[in-house]
Amino acid sequence: MKRSILLIEDDVLMREFISDYFIQEEWEVQEAENGRIALDKFNAAHFDLIILDIMMPEMDGYTVCRSIRAKSDIPIIIITARSDDEDQLLGFELGADEYVIKPLSPRVLVARAKALLKRKEGTVGRKNEMLVYGELQINRKAHVVNISGVNIDFSPKEYDLLLFLVQNYGKVLSREYILNAVWGYDYLGDLRTVDTHIKKLRAKLGETGRYIVTVVRAGYKFEV
């Protein structure tokens, strides 16, 4: 599955410069030229990483960082030409994970992004190996799902789909987005694949299948 990144930078040449390197490393990149557009995109889709400039029109990076941190622990790398200690401290206080000073090396930025995600995933794996929602329990380490203590058999793709929905708790996910994220962008099937697997998931989950909510004309979300 490709990593997805939201690159928030008002300088179009800088965006293209950074994007090219991440795309070469097979990341999926979405771009935003200001904070308002960035928050709209963040609320509409799933991302694995945020790269965020500080000095932007309409809404500065600190405000964007604060808004994102209020609802998500997604890894955030701040990039800026401002190197003052106070600026860096403010970024970290608002929840940034990394602070990279311009001019920057895109290759180093990609390496930092990979290292940051590896650290984050290790922490999440230790803290959240067991996900519990009512009677539904998911053991991420063992890839085991049980309801009221009874293990439920899922195919690998059914498990991937369930985990993807859970990891995006409360977010409305379009069928197209689910298809691309779980099956991959080169998958040749159509959107009915998602509906079919959702139907199978609900059947196997029994009463807890109601946690997978259909949002009319929009997609699905996982919510207890």
Side-chain angles (χ1 to χ4, degrees):
M1 187 186 301
K2 283 188 176 182
R3 300 287 192 186
S4 58
I5 180 174
L6 178 58
L7 172 60
I8 310 166
E9 164 67 65
D10 64 318
D11 186 313
V12 62
L13 293 179
M14 179 63 73
R15 284 203 313 274
E16 291 177 358
F17 188 45
I18 294 173
S19 290
D20 286 346
Y21 274 82
F22 276 93
I23 291 170
Q24 287 173 21
E25 293 292 323
E26 298 187 344
W27 291 61
E28 184 72 22
V29 181
Q30 286 198 41
E31 301 178 8
E33 62 265 33
N34 63 56
R36 179 184 55 77
I37 293 174
L39 291 180
D40 287 343
K41 290 194 173 187
F42 175 77
N43 290 324
H46 166 80
F47 297 98
D48 297 299
L49 176 72
I50 302 288
I51 293 182
L52 172 63
D53 187 28
I54 292 301
M55 302 302 293
M56 293 187 298
E58 298 195 34
M59 184 185 299
D60 67 30
Y62 292 129
T63 304
V64 174
C65 185
R66 184 185 294 111
S67 298
I68 291 174
R69 270 293 169 262
K71 61 181 73 173
S72 173
D73 62 353
I74 184 173
I76 297 175
I77 298 177
I78 285 179
I79 56 173
T80 181
R82 300 171 64 169
S83 59
D84 292 346
D85 288 346
E86 292 302 317
D87 290 325
Q88 295 187 44
L89 287 173
L90 177 58
F92 288 127
E93 287 171 1
L94 291 175
D97 297 282
E98 291 273 3
Y99 201 101
V100 178
I101 306 298
K102 296 177 181 178
L104 55 83
S105 162
R107 292 177 62 189
V108 172
L109 185 59
V110 171
R112 286 200 177 198
K114 290 179 177 178
L116 175 57
L117 284 186
K118 189 173 182 180
R119 290 201 311 271
K120 284 284 187 176
E121 287 170 354
T123 301
V124 169
R126 290 191 295 273
K127 290 185 178 180
N128 297 319
E129 288 177 357
M130 185 68 73
L131 304 175
V132 180
Y133 299 93
E135 299 171 342
L136 174 65
Q137 295 186 350
I138 303 172
N139 187 324
R140 286 158 47 98
K141 185 175 182 180
H143 285 217
V144 171
V145 179
N146 73 68
I147 300 172
S148 301
V150 178
N151 287 351
I152 309 298
D153 291 328
F154 288 100
S155 70
K157 194 58 68 178
E158 288 169 350
Y159 176 83
D160 289 345
L161 174 58
L162 177 61
L163 190 60
F164 181 71
L165 293 170
V166 168
Q167 289 174 328
N168 287 277
Y169 185 95
K171 278 190 175 183
V172 178
L173 306 170
S174 71
R175 289 170 174 81
E176 182 177 8
Y177 185 72
I178 294 172
L179 188 72
N180 290 336
V182 178
W183 278 266
Y185 286 89
D186 56 351
Y187 180 69
L188 298 178
D190 58 29
L191 299 181
R192 288 175 295 182
T193 299
V194 176
D195 296 328
T196 299
H197 278 73
I198 291 290
K199 185 177 180 179
K200 290 179 179 179
L201 275 183
R202 284 173 170 159
K204 291 185 177 182
L205 290 171
E207 288 296 316
T208 58
R210 68 185 185 277
Y211 297 164
I212 301 175
V213 181
T214 300
V215 182
V216 179
R217 292 188 295 276
Y220 299 99
K221 67 176 178 178
F222 184 90
E223 194 169 70
V224 178

